[in-house]
Amino acid sequence: MNNQEFFHALKLVIVCMMWYASSASGNVIGKLVLNEFPYPMTMTMVQLSSAALYLGPILSLLGVPKTGEISRRYYLTMIIPLAFGKFISSVSSHISIWKVSVSYAHTVKATLPLFTVILMRLCFKEKQTLPVYFSLLPIIGGVCIATVTEISFDLIGLLSALFATLGFSLQTIFSKKTLKDTGLHHMNLLLTLSRLSTLCFLPFWLLFDVTRIVQDRNVIQHDNKLMAVLLIMLDGLFNMLQNVFAFTVLAMVNPLSYAVANATKRVVIIGASLMLLRNPVSTSNVMGMLVAVFGVLLYNWAKYYQRLQSERERVLPYIQSDSDLQSLVHTHETLPHSKTEINLNKNGVVYNNVFLENLPQYEHVTLIPVPANQYESRQNNEELHSRGSHSVFHV
C-alpha cells in the first residue's frame, strides 16, 4: 500500500467514525430530550433549521458545485411534496423514538428495503431478482422477533416508526428521480428541501407547538432550561453532520461498501443506545435486531449484484463476420462470438480503442470499436496484419 492509498483509507476510517459518532449522539440526545420535552415537531424544526443555516457555508467550504435548475412547475409538483414528506417523516421518526426505545425504533426502520421494493413495484413496475426477494425474509423475521420480545413495546411507537420508514422510502425514490431530472447535486437538494421545509412549516410549528410550550408548566418551571436548549441545538447539529458525513462516505466508496458501512452504523446506534440509555432488553430481542440488520446487509448485497448483472446484459455481444457467408450457410455453422473479457483477450487485441478479433480458422480479421480502457491490450505495439486474401472490416 502506497502513501496515497494509506491516507485515503485513513481518511475513510476517520469519516466513518465521525459519521457513526454523530448519528449515535444525535439519537441518544434526541431520546433524552424527548423524555423531558415531549414535542417531536419542535425537534424536527430544530433539525431542519440547523441544516438550512449550517449547510450553505459548509457546502461552499467543500466546494460543492451549484448545478442544475428547477422550474416553477417542478417546484410545485415534486420539490414541495418532497419537503412535505421530509417534515412528516422526521416528525414520525421523533415520535417513534419518544414512544419506544432507540434500539427498537431503528430495528423497525430496517424495513426500509421492504418498503422500497414494494413501492418500486407499484410506482415503476420494477421487478427484482429472487436473491433480492429472499433477502427480505430475515429483515421481516428479525423485526417480528424484536417486536414480540420488546419490553417497552408501544403501538403508537411501532406505527410511527413504520410510517417514518415509508416516508423515507418515498423520499429516497423520488429524490433520485429529482436528481436525475434536474441535475442538482445531492447536497444542494438536501439544502433546498431543508430550507423549504423550515419555511413552509414554521407557521404550523408556531401554531401547534409553541402555543402549547408556553402553557406547559413543566417546561416553564424546568430547573435546567438552558441545558435542555443546548441539547436540542446539539441534536440539530449532529443530525446535519451525519448527513454530510454519510454523503462524504458515499462519494469515497462503491455502493456495496457504503451499504456495509450503513449497516454497521445501525449496529453502532443500537449498541450505543443500549449502553448509554440502559433500556431493558432480552437476548431474543437483541437477536431479532441483529437478524434484521443482517437482512439489510444481504439486501444491499443482492441489489448490488443485480445492478452489475443488469449492466452486463446491456452490453451487446461482439459478433464476428466472415467474407464467405455462403460456406457457413451450406455447412450449417453458426457465427462464433466472444462475449466475455476472457474470450476477448484470448482471441484478439485492442489497438487505438478498436478491438481486433483475429480468428485464423476463418481467414479474416474483424474490427469492432469498443469504449476506451474497457479491455486491456496484451500487445500495445504489435504490428497488425491480416491473413489471407479475404478480409472484412467492420468499424
Side-chain angles (χ1 to χ4, degrees):
M1 179 183 294
N2 56 38
N3 290 336
Q4 185 176 1
E5 292 175 343
F6 173 77
F7 285 116
H8 177 80
L10 181 61
K11 178 183 177 182
L12 179 61
V13 171
I14 293 174
V15 173
C16 282
M17 291 177 63
M18 296 177 72
W19 181 24
Y20 298 163
S22 58
S23 298
S25 300
N27 279 273
V28 172
I29 290 175
K31 178 65 174 179
L32 292 174
V33 171
L34 286 169
N35 285 340
E36 300 291 331
F37 184 76
Y39 294 96
M41 186 181 293
T42 298
M43 300 291 291
T44 298
M45 285 300 300
V46 171
Q47 287 188 353
L48 293 175
S49 58
S50 297
L53 291 174
Y54 304 144
L55 265 182
I58 290 176
L59 297 187
S60 298
L61 183 64
L62 295 176
V64 175
K66 295 182 179 180
T67 57
E69 295 182 359
I70 305 175
S71 64
R72 181 177 298 180
R73 180 180 179 182
Y74 204 85
Y75 257 106
L76 295 175
T77 59
M78 187 65 72
I79 301 300
I80 291 180
L82 276 174
F84 178 80
K86 183 175 180 61
F87 181 83
I88 296 300
S89 300
S90 183
V91 172
S92 300
S93 179
H94 280 107
I95 292 175
S96 68
I97 293 177
W98 170 34
K99 292 293 185 179
V100 297
S101 63
V102 174
S103 56
Y104 177 63
H106 275 271
T107 304
V108 175
K109 290 177 183 178
T111 57
L112 180 67
L114 175 64
F115 285 104
T116 302
V117 168
I118 294 174
L119 291 172
M120 290 298 292
R121 178 64 173 167
L122 294 176
C123 297
F124 301 102
K125 308 298 182 183
E126 180 179 305
K127 296 181 180 180
Q128 311 296 331
T129 59
L130 283 178
V132 172
Y133 287 123
F134 283 132
S135 68
L136 299 176
L137 296 179
I139 298 176
I140 299 172
V143 172
C144 290
I145 294 173
T147 300
V148 172
T149 58
E150 175 62 28
I151 298 175
S152 60
F153 176 78
D154 183 271
L155 182 60
I156 295 178
L158 171 62
L159 295 177
S160 298
L162 290 172
F163 187 78
T165 307
L166 172 63
F168 289 136
S169 180
L170 284 169
Q171 284 184 69
T172 301
I173 293 171
F174 288 99
S175 292
K176 290 181 179 179
K177 185 179 186 304
T178 300
L179 294 173
K180 182 179 180 181
D181 293 342
T182 62
L184 283 172
H185 191 276
H186 48 262
M187 293 301 294
N188 286 325
L189 178 60
L190 176 62
L191 176 60
T192 300
L193 293 178
S194 298
R195 288 176 174 175
L196 191 59
S197 297
T198 303
L199 182 63
C200 291
F201 291 97
L202 181 61
F204 295 95
W205 173 66
L206 294 173
L207 179 63
F208 289 101
D209 256 22
V210 173
T211 53
R212 291 168 53 211
I213 291 172
V214 296
Q215 297 174 3
D216 191 339
R217 291 185 178 180
N218 292 328
V219 174
I220 300 300
Q221 298 176 359
H222 199 280
D223 295 333
N224 296 317
K225 289 190 286 292
L226 183 61
M227 178 60 68
V229 172
L230 178 62
L231 289 177
I232 293 174
M233 293 302 189
L234 281 176
D235 176 71
L237 177 63
F238 283 134
N239 179 262
M240 185 273 303
L241 288 176
Q242 74 98 10
N243 280 285
V244 174
F245 292 137
F247 284 120
T248 303
V249 172
L250 182 58
M252 295 177 66
V253 299
N254 60 49
L256 181 58
S257 298
Y258 177 79
V260 175
N262 197 28
T264 306
K265 183 204 74 170
R266 197 173 295 278
V267 174
V268 170
I269 292 175
I270 293 174
S273 67
L274 292 177
M275 288 188 296
L276 298 176
L277 299 176
R278 299 186 180 279
N279 54 286
V281 290
S282 63
T283 304
S284 300
N285 190 242
V286 174
M287 288 300 299
M289 296 175 185
L290 294 178
V291 169
V293 174
F294 179 69
V296 174
L297 184 59
L298 287 180
Y299 167 81
N300 285 286
W301 215 309
K303 284 290 292 183
Y304 176 75
Y305 285 105
Q306 176 183 312
R307 185 163 53 250
L308 288 182
Q309 182 64 31
S310 177
E311 291 174 356
R312 290 194 191 102
E313 291 175 354
R314 284 196 296 267
V315 178
L316 294 176
Y318 295 98
I319 307 295
Q320 71 172 31
S321 63
D322 192 274
S323 59
D324 191 5
L325 295 178
Q326 292 297 326
S327 63
L328 293 175
V329 173
H330 292 308
T331 57
H332 302 288
E333 294 185 25
T334 58
L335 293 175
H337 66 279
S338 54
K339 192 173 182 179
T340 65
E341 182 178 353
I342 296 175
N343 288 336
L344 290 171
N345 287 329
K346 179 180 179 181
N347 297 327
V349 295
V350 173
Y351 183 74
N352 287 340
N353 299 334
V354 176
F355 175 71
L356 287 80
E357 189 171 10
N358 193 354
L359 298 176
Q361 63 267 33
Y362 289 101
E363 295 297 326
H364 73 278
V365 178
T366 301
L367 279 71
I368 301 176
V370 298
N373 299 326
Q374 185 172 356
Y375 303 104
E376 292 183 1
S377 173
R378 293 180 294 112
Q379 303 175 23
N380 292 330
N381 300 317
E382 180 181 352
E383 290 289 339
L384 302 171
H385 300 287
S386 61
R387 291 190 298 272
S389 58
H390 301 288
S391 299
V392 180
F393 299 90
H394 294 282
V395 179

